[in-house]
Amino acid sequence: MFAGSTVWLNWSDSAADPYEEGPEARGSPEARISVLPFGHCWGTAMNEKSWSERVAHLSRLAIGCLSLTLNAPLSAQTPPTEPSDSTAAATSAATAAPGPTPGAVTPAPRLGPGSEAVTGSGVPTYKLLRYDEDYSYLKDPDRRTDFWDPIKYIPIGDREDWYVSFGAQLRPWFQFYNNFDFGTTPGPNAFLTQRYLFHGDFHFGPNIRFFGQLVSGLENGRIGGPLPDIDENVFDAHQAFLDLVQHFGENDTLTWRLGRQEMLYGSGRLIDVREGVNLRRSFDAARLLFRLGDWSVDGFWSKPVLNRPGVFDDIPYPNLSLWGVYAVRPLAWLPDGHTDLYYLGYENTHATFDKATPELSTGYELRNSLGTRMWGHPMPWEYDVEAIWQFGRFGRGSIEAGAIASATRYNFDELPLRPRVGLVADITSGDRNPRSPNLQTFNPMFPTGAYLNLANPIGPANFIQLHPTTDVRFGDKVTLLAEWAFVWRESVDDGIYGPFVGPPIRTGQLSRNPFVGSSPSVTLTWNATRHITILASYVHFFAGPFLKETPPGKDMDYVAFWVDYTF
């Protein structure tokens, strides 16, 4: 179906940009990635070898991976275990999902960005969102088999549905960098970060619930001190929210969730808990969670929380706001199919992008995102494909941006070591003209904390990624993952950006070379017990021509080792 087709994406307005310069003013046209209007997306043929053609090939590759999945023999597909990004995980259930079971088999790692951080964070037997756990089954004393079970269900009074459940996570994390940020901090640097989370989940019958979680994050030894919002928060309230549930019929519910809370949608490309750095992300939010038949629909307004280094001093980010509607339902015409449909609104009153002058670079950003995601686990295949269109305004110009992201994996469960082979392929748009007030740079907003790998040197804005992966499993407890990410700039008129919201970390105006570099990594994860997960990872980044032409552009090394204890 896709063999002879050409897919060409277009992030710009259909009308010509009045600020657009001729090719001679911007350098060689062969060095530039050219894009057509988004409305002309499909069916445009290209006759010249250029970076735009390579972007189109990458788009076809992402869709082709999905087509391979759809054409896989159904006779070879077996029902999978519940995926970690199921409907319940994508839009938090009004009543929590069942808690861990003793001796649970390690599930398939998260598909797509952030997989190493998630699988190394105690989730084989515990939920990534701890408020999704439900320990009401422990009211039966005969089902209490674990050391911590007595504090997982503590009745309040004489009613079985009034109870409190306690839990915690402790994670010391040794890190080593050589040439952090490609040499901005030159030479070696070894340091220790620590994270401690403690929560209480209070249920007052089936309709009222309070969930609270405290955090302590510490950093020792990083050159230059702790990274703001990332490394250090001595003691604070990470989550504190109230659920009020209304029931309609047997299974339909509406939950009002008010307060500070973690949010995770889809595969974490746009909104994630940010596992993969020391401090996770939470939001001060008001949410409505609908569960209507096969539909799960969330509506919310929120502000991300700014982690500050003191005691009980965290505040909502003054400049940032996020709101939206996110819906998930099964999709019958895809194998084990599900679809996400969403609108997200984003405001940054002081945003910065890579423009030619300070007046053009910084301004008010109001961005709207419309997206859809199709995903499933029709074993032995797994697939996750997402398309996003962004529009709005920045300063005195308009925004027109977009992204296509995919992750596909095949499981060879019948072979020794049960290998899995996968491919991540992403394209996010970059700015076309630094002298125009109009902006085509994609904004990932609040993505996973390990989009590329655990070193996470750059983020998915003005970004093309081809990222093959393979892993093998030694029994049910040990997984060895090997990856190699290859990264280009989508537009040579734009720079590269950090992993989270912020200004560019390298301008694009000093180099016409699109190749940023490549990054192999190896990660070993050992789920030693129900409570202990040990992770060790090595990452190298080979600096490409773009980094060398926008110095410092040194190769970078990174080593991580952590022990995660969760109960």
Side-chain angles (χ1 to χ4, degrees):
M1 174 180 178
F2 298 94
S5 64
T6 299
V7 177
W8 199 354
L9 299 182
N10 168 349
W11 316 116
S12 65
D13 296 326
S14 57
D17 185 346
Y19 297 87
E20 186 72 33
E21 297 177 307
E24 63 278 4
R26 297 190 305 268
S28 169
E30 288 78 15
R32 174 179 174 76
I33 293 176
S34 176
V35 288
L36 290 180
F38 193 84
H40 301 169
C41 283
W42 313 109
T44 303
M46 294 171 291
N47 298 319
E48 297 181 359
K49 289 288 184 180
S50 65
W51 279 103
S52 59
E53 185 173 4
R54 297 180 194 185
V55 173
H57 280 302
L58 186 53
S59 300
R60 293 204 308 276
L61 179 61
I63 299 171
C65 290
L66 177 60
S67 72
L68 287 173
T69 302
L70 301 185
N71 291 315
L74 293 179
S75 60
Q77 299 169 356
T78 56
T81 57
E82 181 182 352
S84 60
D85 56 355
S86 65
T87 300
T91 52
S92 310
T95 57
T101 55
V105 175
T106 303
R110 174 170 169 170
L111 187 61
S115 59
E116 308 99 314
V118 170
T119 55
S121 298
V123 295
T125 47
Y126 294 90
K127 304 287 186 181
L128 185 59
L129 296 172
R130 297 301 303 272
Y131 58 69
D132 276 347
E133 297 171 3
D134 179 12
Y135 294 94
S136 58
Y137 70 95
L138 292 178
K139 63 188 176 185
D140 180 358
D142 293 337
R143 302 184 67 181
R144 299 177 187 176
T145 60
D146 184 71
F147 174 80
W148 293 107
D149 281 351
I151 67 168
K152 290 298 182 182
Y153 178 86
I154 302 174
I156 301 175
D158 297 329
R159 297 180 54 176
E160 289 187 341
D161 56 0
W162 283 49
Y163 69 96
V164 60
S165 177
F166 294 107
Q169 183 192 53
L170 300 80
R171 189 182 73 181
W173 181 5
F174 169 82
Q175 300 182 67
F176 170 86
Y177 277 100
N178 185 44
N179 296 327
F180 175 73
D181 192 19
F182 312 112
T184 302
T185 303
N189 179 207
F191 57 96
L192 177 69
T193 57
Q194 302 169 68
R195 184 178 74 193
Y196 305 94
L197 293 165
F198 176 80
H199 71 262
D201 190 4
F202 298 81
H203 293 259
F204 304 99
N207 301 326
I208 302 175
R209 172 203 193 190
F210 174 81
F211 184 91
Q213 186 176 49
L214 299 172
V215 62
S216 178
L218 307 173
E219 181 276 325
N220 301 96
R222 185 192 283 269
I223 294 176
L227 297 181
D229 189 44
I230 298 294
D231 282 343
E232 190 163 270
N233 188 352
V234 172
F235 194 73
D236 219 304
H238 180 62
Q239 299 191 78
F241 65 81
L242 178 69
D243 277 356
L244 301 174
V245 183
Q246 294 176 265
H247 296 266
F248 307 96
E250 186 175 349
N251 298 313
D252 299 338
T253 61
L254 168 61
T255 301
W256 301 73
R257 180 167 292 170
L258 305 172
R260 182 165 295 181
Q261 57 198 272
E262 293 183 338
M263 296 197 300
L264 165 63
Y265 288 101
S267 57
R269 294 186 178 102
L270 297 177
I271 302 175
D272 191 76
V273 298
R274 199 173 63 183
E275 191 65 271
V277 298
N278 197 39
L279 298 176
R280 288 167 60 131
R281 178 188 293 121
S282 62
F283 296 81
D284 286 342
R287 298 167 75 188
L288 293 178
L289 314 179
F290 293 89
R291 303 297 172 260
L292 305 172
D294 289 337
W295 284 94
S296 296
V297 183
D298 287 10
F300 64 91
W301 183 91
S302 69
K303 291 186 74 67
V305 175
L306 173 61
N307 294 297
R308 302 205 291 186
V311 176
F312 289 116
D313 61 349
D314 293 355
I315 60 172
Y317 254 105
N319 299 333
L320 303 179
S321 298
L322 178 72
W323 61 93
V325 178
Y326 202 103
V328 182
R329 66 156 295 152
L331 195 61
W333 55 270
L334 284 176
D336 186 46
H338 305 78
T339 186
D340 300 6
L341 303 168
Y342 57 86
Y343 160 78
L344 300 173
Y346 172 88
E347 179 188 49
N348 187 345
T349 61
H350 195 75
T352 301
F353 293 91
D354 187 23
K355 290 289 190 178
T357 67
E359 294 76 14
L360 292 175
S361 296
T362 302
Y364 173 82
E365 177 186 7
L366 178 63
R367 188 178 296 252
N368 305 284
S369 298
L370 292 174
T372 184
R373 170 177 171 249
M374 293 180 290
W375 54 277
H377 300 254
M379 304 298 280
W381 285 98
E382 300 170 81
Y383 63 92
D384 186 312
V385 179
E386 190 162 0
I388 307 158
W389 173 44
Q390 296 183 334
F391 60 96
R393 68 180 190 269
F394 170 66
R396 57 188 178 90
S398 63
I399 294 173
E400 192 86 21
I404 290 181
S406 71
T408 309
R409 183 166 57 206
Y410 189 86
N411 293 258
F412 296 91
D413 286 336
E414 303 304 318
L415 296 180
L417 303 182
R418 294 173 294 156
R420 291 180 285 233
V421 178
L423 178 68
V424 177
D426 295 342
I427 309 173
T428 69
S429 62
D431 193 44
R432 297 178 60 241
N433 186 355
R435 294 173 178 80
S436 168
N438 296 330
L439 181 69
Q440 292 82 40
T441 306
F442 179 79
N443 188 340
M445 297 185 290
F446 304 102
T448 172
Y451 201 99
L452 200 67
N453 46 45
L454 284 173
N456 211 30
I458 60 175
N462 189 31
F463 179 84
I464 298 175
Q465 174 187 203
L466 275 177
H467 191 149
T469 70
T470 185
D471 67 72
V472 294
R473 289 164 283 177
F474 303 90
D476 290 330
K477 295 183 177 293
V478 179
T479 301
L480 179 64
L481 171 67
E483 310 173 276
W484 200 314
F486 299 85
V487 181
W488 297 261
R489 291 185 293 159
E490 192 273 338
S491 170
V492 295
D493 289 310
D494 200 355
I496 60 173
Y497 294 79
F500 309 116
V501 177
I505 60 175
R506 292 288 192 282
T507 180
Q509 299 172 45
L510 301 178
S511 172
R512 306 298 297 174
N513 200 302
F515 187 55
V516 178
S518 69
S519 183
S521 64
V522 178
T523 302
L524 182 69
T525 305
W526 177 25
N527 302 122
T529 71
R530 174 178 174 176
H531 302 289
I532 298 174
T533 299
I534 298 173
L535 177 143
S537 184
Y538 170 73
V539 179
H540 185 82
F541 198 103
F542 293 102
F546 168 73
L547 288 170
K548 294 182 183 299
E549 293 169 11
T550 55
K554 298 181 179 181
D555 289 1
M556 184 173 69
D557 294 284
Y558 174 74
V559 175
F561 177 83
W562 77 49
V563 178
D564 184 300
Y565 188 89
T566 304
F567 66 89

